[in-house]
Amino acid sequence: MKDTVIETKNLLKEYRGRAAVKNLNLNITKGEIYGFLGPNGAGKTTTIRMLLGLIKPTSGSIEIFGKELRANRMQILRKVGSLVESPSYYGHLSAWDNLEAIRRILGVPKVRIAEVLEIVSLTGEETRPVKGFSLGMKQRLGIAAALLGSPELLILDEPTNGLDPSGIQEIRSLIKRLPGEQGITVLVSSHLLSEIEQMAGTVGIIREGQMVYQDTIAHLQQQAAGHLRLALSEPETALMTAVRRGCGGELQEGRLVLPRMSDARVSLLVKELVEEGHAIYRVEEHRQSLEEFFLQVVGGGEL
Amino acid sequence: MMWRALSADWLKIRGKGIWFLAFLGPLGLIAMQGLNFGLRYDYLRGQYREDLWGGLLSEVVPFVPIALYLGGTLICSLIANVEHQTSAWKQLLALPVSRTAVFMAKLLLCLLLLIVSCLLLSAGTVVLGLLLGFGAQPIPLADVLRIGFAAYAAAMPVIALQLWLSLSSRNQTLPVSVGLTLSLVSPFGVYFTEWMPLSWPVLAWSDPRPWLFSGAGLLLGLLVILPGAIHFARKDVD
């Protein structure tokens, strides 16, 4: 039996009668990187704010570390580090003082400040006022703040939003290191599939407040099925053959396009077409990219 | 836990001009009286020759309630703005600290800053009196302390209200406008009724029963803090 870190049941949040999140069932296992994926405005941030107790769900339950959030908020938050949307910082204070202000509330030893600055490679910049930092540095400071209390669960909302490619790369490798080195469970949200694909082991896709997919990345890649394209001499009659064999299919740009099927069926169909006298020029498998699949999922298509 | 939050707040207000404001208020009042007495020294000295200290205090005191209201409004707004500015609430309130503790820490910080202002006002008045050569007469220490603190206690409802308003919304236009309006209306409060809390800081000095108004201010202040703290503890953080 796996340890569940976050479990939500039928989570609902309504704003003036409009559901921002509905029937959301999240399931996050200890030690994994969980990618929370969805277009802007799908309800990712709303969900994350509910997980942190910043906003109250209209109905439904949230359990973190096996405990009900509302009743055990303080105990749970002690083991959670978070970074929500745009970085929060006190611009007039130095990076060190920003972390010190948080440290005073957490009550952790002062050495942690130097440690987390080292982890996010901000050592040497700690005395400068944060308002002069680049967005990437502010975001890294936010991650440092999230790590300050040595959390067991890290919740990062769009940590790479607005960063340049090297900044994204840096944050990504930082996040990937965490579960291995410190045994931390990470929930990371993004609207970019490529981001999640490179970091996460499990992915949850949310659309219009509802979870439409929740499984491993590997399974997602399998699901993103491709199709078969045949270039041949007489596509119209070939299509009739294919339909007769129950393969379905359609004509696109003079080519026969068939849905994905098993190797055995492909060879049978090809054999039959050859026997009917078709000249077959090409048999191509066109794999749908994960990105296309994702767009199909969030665009309202069925799985 | 509130002390932890307070100690963090103590650090956060550094370099925001909040301390400057807390010093500016009382020192400004004293400087104004320095000018007043400097320009009309012989006239005022003659006027108050029976009780020079009492005379000085009576010249300072009319400005104290309005200064407290204004100062309280601005300090509350500035303290709230430290968190509003870069939407640091979502970071602060996701920490293992109760919302009530956060609210009380902000209130306490605001009250401490105003205490510093009141102490400075009392100390400044003594220094000014001594500079003006009133040292021959005994310093009425109780009254010197009372000019600031009696009004301070009586101003508590407005300070609590201002903190609540300032913490509630990111937009500080409403709380500051309300605070400014209250400050400007407050001098006329005495013409209405003594039941109007706005006039209590004035009455806490001038009324024959001054303690009544300081006490009422503290009590009503507590009553305003309660819904403020509850609202803050329950609201959604965006």
Side-chain angles (χ1 to χ4, degrees):
Chain A
M1 169 113 184
K2 288 194 233 169
D3 291 339
T4 302
V5 175
I6 301 181
E7 188 175 21
T8 71
K9 289 201 186 99
N10 298 322
L11 205 55
L12 172 76
K13 177 69 185 179
E14 282 182 337
Y15 288 107
R16 295 194 185 95
R18 195 190 141 269
V21 169
K22 64 185 168 196
N23 288 330
L24 194 81
N25 297 302
L26 265 182
N27 223 308
I28 301 178
T29 314
K30 188 174 166 59
E32 73 175 349
I33 298 184
Y34 184 99
F36 196 30
L37 195 57
N40 292 328
K44 298 187 299 287
T45 300
T46 308
T47 306
I48 283 173
R49 283 174 194 266
M50 282 193 276
L51 292 177
L52 292 170
L54 291 173
I55 58 180
K56 282 189 296 292
T58 308
S59 68
S61 71
I62 301 174
E63 279 190 11
I64 299 180
F65 302 119
K67 294 197 182 83
E68 215 280 315
L69 176 65
R70 188 85 71 82
N72 305 282
R73 201 182 135 249
M74 305 280 278
Q75 209 185 334
I76 290 169
L77 288 180
R78 186 66 197 79
K79 299 195 277 182
V80 176
S82 67
L83 171 70
V84 181
E85 270 187 323
S86 57
S88 302
Y89 56 92
Y90 304 105
H92 60 293
L93 297 180
S94 67
W96 183 280
D97 283 341
N98 265 275
L99 294 172
E100 170 67 14
I102 294 165
R103 189 203 66 83
R104 288 187 183 180
I105 290 174
L106 290 172
V108 295
K110 281 198 173 182
V111 291
R112 270 306 281 167
I113 296 182
E115 284 172 22
V116 294
L117 282 170
E118 179 72 44
I119 292 175
V120 300
S121 18
L122 278 178
T123 312
E125 305 282 357
E126 63 261 36
T127 52
R128 239 178 356 120
V130 174
K131 61 184 166 207
F133 277 22
S134 69
L135 184 60
M137 290 167 80
K138 285 174 185 161
Q139 204 69 296
R140 266 159 38 209
L141 178 65
I143 293 179
L147 290 171
L148 197 59
S150 314
E152 290 170 33
L153 169 64
L154 199 58
I155 297 182
L156 305 172
D157 188 16
E158 307 261 5
T160 55
N161 207 1
L163 299 188
D164 58 19
S166 73
I168 292 176
Q169 177 65 43
E170 229 171 299
I171 302 259
R172 188 194 297 145
S173 63
L174 177 62
I175 292 171
K176 278 165 85 172
R177 274 205 326 261
L178 292 172
E181 282 176 17
Q182 336 228 355
I184 301 176
T185 309
V186 184
L187 166 61
V188 54
S189 84
S190 175
H191 58 275
L192 297 173
L193 175 72
S194 53
E195 273 306 302
I196 296 295
E197 198 187 351
Q198 290 177 66
M199 284 188 275
T202 309
V203 62
I205 302 179
I206 184 173
R207 180 202 349 139
E208 288 167 11
Q210 278 179 302
M211 191 70 96
V212 287
Y213 184 91
Q214 181 166 250
D215 212 317
T216 60
I217 279 280
H219 191 247
L220 180 70
Q221 282 159 341
Q222 269 174 26
Q223 286 257 325
H227 48 258
L228 215 57
R229 286 150 65 103
L230 272 75
L232 29 65
S233 49
E234 288 160 55
E236 288 83 5
T237 48
L239 175 63
M240 281 158 73
T241 309
V243 170
R244 198 164 356 103
R245 301 261 338 158
C247 297
E250 56 181 352
L251 290 183
Q252 277 177 15
E253 299 157 14
R255 295 188 177 199
L256 178 59
V257 178
L258 301 165
R260 196 170 144 80
M261 56 181 116
S262 69
D263 292 354
R265 291 189 69 187
V266 175
S267 75
L268 265 174
L269 180 68
V270 170
K271 190 171 165 223
E272 196 171 335
L273 289 171
V274 171
E275 282 168 359
E276 281 179 13
H278 290 286
I280 297 181
Y281 310 130
R282 276 178 189 77
V283 179
E284 310 166 327
E285 189 183 37
H286 180 76
R287 275 194 81 87
Q288 189 183 18
S289 76
L290 214 47
E291 200 73 41
E292 283 166 346
F293 177 71
F294 170 61
L295 284 176
Q296 190 193 327
V297 170
V298 299
E302 291 301 312
L303 276 177
Chain B
M1 194 156 55
M2 187 182 66
W3 300 110
R4 286 183 175 178
L6 183 64
S7 120
D9 279 338
W10 197 259
L11 178 67
K12 286 180 214 166
I13 62 164
R14 209 190 269 169
K16 282 303 240 184
I18 298 177
W19 280 109
F20 174 74
L21 186 69
F23 279 73
L24 181 74
L27 296 183
L29 279 190
I30 299 302
M32 197 168 77
Q33 287 314 315
L35 201 65
N36 182 21
F37 275 81
L39 290 175
R40 317 189 282 166
Y41 185 73
D42 292 327
Y43 169 76
L44 287 173
R45 201 183 161 102
Q47 193 88 347
Y48 296 129
R49 64 182 170 279
E50 300 293 320
D51 179 9
L52 289 169
W53 286 104
L56 175 60
L57 293 181
S58 73
E59 291 285 325
V60 174
V61 106
F63 301 98
V64 173
I66 192 169
L68 262 173
Y69 281 148
L70 275 175
T73 297
L74 294 177
I75 284 176
C76 285
S77 177
L78 286 169
I79 286 177
N81 229 2
V82 170
E83 308 288 348
H84 287 310
Q85 216 162 32
T86 49
S87 42
W89 288 115
K90 55 186 161 62
Q91 188 181 53
L92 176 62
L93 298 179
L95 293 175
V97 57
S98 83
R99 297 236 191 141
T100 318
V102 172
F103 183 86
M104 293 312 280
K106 303 264 179 227
L107 179 70
L108 214 59
L109 181 65
C110 183
L111 294 179
L112 279 171
L113 284 160
L114 288 175
I115 284 181
V116 170
S117 296
C118 286
L119 280 174
L120 268 174
L121 180 71
S122 297
T125 309
V126 171
V127 170
L128 178 65
L130 291 176
L131 284 177
L132 291 171
F134 298 171
Q137 292 187 1
I139 302 171
L141 276 178
D143 277 349
V144 164
L145 283 174
R146 212 157 64 84
I147 45 168
F149 285 103
Y152 172 79
M156 204 64 73
V158 171
I159 294 166
L161 177 74
Q162 283 305 133
L163 186 71
W164 182 8
L165 289 177
S166 281
L167 292 182
S168 290
S169 89
R170 186 176 182 137
N171 186 342
Q172 293 294 300
T173 319
L174 174 78
V176 173
S177 320
V178 169
L180 285 182
T181 310
L182 290 180
S183 313
L184 294 177
V185 170
S186 68
F188 307 103
V190 278
Y191 300 118
F192 302 130
T193 158
E194 61 181 25
W195 288 99
M196 188 153 137
L198 215 49
S199 57
W200 293 352
V202 177
L203 296 170
W205 174 265
S206 62
D207 197 83
R209 308 151 297 166
W211 298 113
L212 199 63
F213 294 97
S214 294
L218 283 177
L219 211 64
L220 184 64
L222 283 176
L223 287 180
V224 179
I225 290 167
L226 205 65
I230 291 173
H231 173 243
F232 183 77
R234 297 200 172 167
K235 71 173 184 148
D236 280 356
V237 181
D238 292 314

